[in-house]
Short mmCIF file of all heavy atoms in Angstrom, two decimals:
data_model
loop_
_atom_site.label_atom_id
_atom_site.label_comp_id
_atom_site.label_asym_id
_atom_site.label_seq_id
_atom_site.Cartn_x
_atom_site.Cartn_y
_atom_site.Cartn_z
N LEU A 1281 -0.50 214.62 171.59
CA LEU A 1281 0.91 214.93 171.39
C LEU A 1281 1.29 214.81 169.93
O LEU A 1281 0.54 214.29 169.12
CB LEU A 1281 1.75 213.95 172.21
CG LEU A 1281 1.41 213.91 173.69
CD1 LEU A 1281 2.20 212.83 174.38
CD2 LEU A 1281 1.69 215.27 174.32
N SER A 1282 2.46 215.31 169.63
CA SER A 1282 2.97 215.06 168.28
C SER A 1282 4.16 214.12 168.41
O SER A 1282 4.55 213.75 169.52
CB SER A 1282 3.37 216.36 167.61
OG SER A 1282 4.35 216.99 168.39
N ILE A 1283 4.71 213.70 167.30
CA ILE A 1283 5.86 212.80 167.38
C ILE A 1283 7.08 213.42 166.72
O ILE A 1283 6.96 214.25 165.82
CB ILE A 1283 5.58 211.41 166.77
CG1 ILE A 1283 4.61 211.50 165.60
CG2 ILE A 1283 5.09 210.44 167.81
CD1 ILE A 1283 4.28 210.15 165.02
N GLU A 1319 3.65 201.48 161.01
CA GLU A 1319 2.45 201.83 160.25
C GLU A 1319 2.74 203.02 159.34
O GLU A 1319 3.85 203.55 159.33
CB GLU A 1319 1.27 202.11 161.19
CG GLU A 1319 1.59 203.06 162.32
CD GLU A 1319 0.58 202.95 163.47
OE1 GLU A 1319 0.48 201.89 164.11
OE2 GLU A 1319 -0.08 203.95 163.73
N LEU A 1320 1.73 203.43 158.59
CA LEU A 1320 1.93 204.54 157.66
C LEU A 1320 1.68 205.86 158.36
O LEU A 1320 0.91 205.94 159.31
CB LEU A 1320 0.96 204.39 156.47
CG LEU A 1320 1.08 203.09 155.69
CD1 LEU A 1320 0.06 203.05 154.56
CD2 LEU A 1320 2.50 202.92 155.13
N LYS A 1321 2.34 206.89 157.86
CA LYS A 1321 2.06 208.24 158.38
C LYS A 1321 1.14 208.91 157.37
O LYS A 1321 1.57 209.33 156.30
CB LYS A 1321 3.35 209.03 158.55
CG LYS A 1321 3.09 210.38 159.23
CD LYS A 1321 4.39 211.04 159.65
CE LYS A 1321 4.14 212.24 160.52
NZ LYS A 1321 3.42 213.31 159.82
N PHE A 1322 -0.12 208.95 157.73
CA PHE A 1322 -1.14 209.50 156.83
C PHE A 1322 -1.03 211.01 156.79
O PHE A 1322 -0.73 211.65 157.80
CB PHE A 1322 -2.53 209.08 157.31
CG PHE A 1322 -2.59 207.63 157.67
CD1 PHE A 1322 -2.69 207.24 159.00
CD2 PHE A 1322 -2.49 206.66 156.71
CE1 PHE A 1322 -2.72 205.90 159.35
CE2 PHE A 1322 -2.50 205.31 157.04
CZ PHE A 1322 -2.61 204.94 158.37
N ASP A 1323 -1.30 211.57 155.61
CA ASP A 1323 -1.12 213.00 155.43
C ASP A 1323 -2.49 213.68 155.44
O ASP A 1323 -3.10 213.88 154.40
CB ASP A 1323 -0.39 213.25 154.11
CG ASP A 1323 0.42 214.51 154.15
OD1 ASP A 1323 0.47 215.15 155.22
OD2 ASP A 1323 1.01 214.85 153.12
N LEU A 1325 -5.40 215.27 158.74
CA LEU A 1325 -5.65 216.10 159.92
C LEU A 1325 -5.98 215.19 161.09
O LEU A 1325 -6.85 214.32 160.98
CB LEU A 1325 -6.85 217.00 159.59
CG LEU A 1325 -7.33 217.96 160.67
CD1 LEU A 1325 -6.35 219.12 160.80
CD2 LEU A 1325 -8.72 218.49 160.31
N ALA A 1326 -5.28 215.38 162.23
CA ALA A 1326 -5.52 214.54 163.40
C ALA A 1326 -6.85 214.88 164.06
O ALA A 1326 -7.21 216.05 164.19
CB ALA A 1326 -4.38 214.71 164.40
N ARG A 1342 -6.98 218.65 166.72
CA ARG A 1342 -5.89 218.63 167.68
C ARG A 1342 -5.65 220.01 168.31
O ARG A 1342 -5.35 220.12 169.50
CB ARG A 1342 -4.62 218.15 166.97
CG ARG A 1342 -3.40 218.12 167.82
CD ARG A 1342 -2.27 217.39 167.09
NE ARG A 1342 -1.07 217.43 167.89
CZ ARG A 1342 -0.17 218.39 167.86
NH1 ARG A 1342 -0.35 219.42 167.03
NH2 ARG A 1342 0.89 218.37 168.61
N GLY A 1377 -7.04 209.44 165.28
CA GLY A 1377 -6.68 209.01 163.94
C GLY A 1377 -6.64 210.20 163.00
O GLY A 1377 -6.70 211.36 163.43
N GLU A 1378 -6.54 209.88 161.73
CA GLU A 1378 -6.32 210.91 160.72
C GLU A 1378 -7.49 210.96 159.74
O GLU A 1378 -7.87 209.93 159.19
CB GLU A 1378 -5.02 210.56 159.97
CG GLU A 1378 -4.41 211.70 159.23
CD GLU A 1378 -3.43 212.51 160.09
OE1 GLU A 1378 -3.39 212.34 161.33
OE2 GLU A 1378 -2.72 213.33 159.49
N TYR A 1430 -5.39 205.38 164.58
CA TYR A 1430 -4.02 204.94 164.89
C TYR A 1430 -3.65 205.04 166.36
O TYR A 1430 -2.51 204.79 166.73
CB TYR A 1430 -2.99 205.69 164.04
CG TYR A 1430 -3.03 207.20 164.16
CD1 TYR A 1430 -2.77 207.85 165.37
CD2 TYR A 1430 -3.30 207.98 163.05
CE1 TYR A 1430 -2.80 209.22 165.47
CE2 TYR A 1430 -3.33 209.37 163.13
CZ TYR A 1430 -3.08 209.98 164.35
OH TYR A 1430 -3.12 211.34 164.45
N VAL A 1493 5.46 205.48 160.51
CA VAL A 1493 5.58 205.75 161.95
C VAL A 1493 5.97 204.45 162.63
O VAL A 1493 5.42 203.39 162.32
CB VAL A 1493 4.24 206.26 162.52
CG1 VAL A 1493 4.35 206.47 164.04
CG2 VAL A 1493 3.84 207.57 161.86
N LYS A 1495 6.32 202.62 166.39
CA LYS A 1495 5.94 202.76 167.79
C LYS A 1495 6.39 201.50 168.52
O LYS A 1495 6.17 200.39 168.01
CB LYS A 1495 4.42 202.90 167.93
CG LYS A 1495 3.86 204.13 167.21
CD LYS A 1495 2.35 204.11 167.11
CE LYS A 1495 1.87 205.32 166.30
NZ LYS A 1495 0.44 205.29 166.02
N PRO A 1512 6.47 211.57 172.70
CA PRO A 1512 6.80 210.29 173.34
C PRO A 1512 8.19 209.81 172.89
O PRO A 1512 8.57 210.04 171.74
CB PRO A 1512 5.71 209.35 172.84
CG PRO A 1512 5.18 209.96 171.60
CD PRO A 1512 5.42 211.44 171.68
N TRP A 1514 8.81 206.76 172.68
CA TRP A 1514 8.60 205.43 172.09
C TRP A 1514 8.10 205.45 170.63
O TRP A 1514 7.77 204.42 170.07
CB TRP A 1514 7.63 204.62 172.95
CG TRP A 1514 6.40 205.39 173.41
CD1 TRP A 1514 6.25 206.03 174.59
CD2 TRP A 1514 5.19 205.60 172.68
NE1 TRP A 1514 5.01 206.63 174.67
CE2 TRP A 1514 4.33 206.38 173.51
CE3 TRP A 1514 4.72 205.21 171.43
CZ2 TRP A 1514 3.06 206.77 173.11
CZ3 TRP A 1514 3.44 205.61 171.04
CH2 TRP A 1514 2.63 206.38 171.88
N ALA A 1515 7.99 206.67 170.05
CA ALA A 1515 7.50 206.73 168.67
C ALA A 1515 8.32 207.71 167.85
O ALA A 1515 8.88 208.67 168.39
CB ALA A 1515 6.03 207.14 168.65
S1 LIG B 326 0.71 208.65 166.39
C1 LIG B 326 1.70 210.02 170.53
N1 LIG B 326 0.39 207.50 164.07
O1 LIG B 326 1.33 212.71 162.44
C2 LIG B 326 1.63 209.66 169.10
N2 LIG B 326 0.37 209.86 164.14
O2 LIG B 326 2.93 214.28 165.07
C3 LIG B 326 0.60 210.44 168.39
N3 LIG B 326 -0.04 210.91 161.95
O3 LIG B 326 -0.42 215.17 163.30
C4 LIG B 326 0.59 210.31 166.92
N4 LIG B 326 -0.23 209.05 160.81
O4 LIG B 326 -2.01 213.22 163.02
C5 LIG B 326 0.48 208.67 164.72
N5 LIG B 326 0.07 206.32 162.08
C6 LIG B 326 0.15 207.48 162.75
C7 LIG B 326 0.02 208.71 162.10
C8 LIG B 326 0.14 209.89 162.82
C9 LIG B 326 -0.26 210.36 160.75
C10 LIG B 326 0.02 212.36 162.20
C11 LIG B 326 -0.74 212.83 163.41
C12 LIG B 326 0.04 214.01 163.89
C13 LIG B 326 1.41 213.73 163.39
C14 LIG B 326 2.28 213.25 164.51
#
Side-chain angles (χ1 to χ4, degrees):
L1281 304 175
S1282 59
I1283 32 182
E1319 49 199 63
L1320 302 179
K1321 186 169 190 296
F1322 315 108
D1323 209 3
L1325 179 74
R1342 178 170 177 272
E1378 199 89 348
Y1430 57 63
V1493 177
K1495 299 168 184 173
W1514 45 265

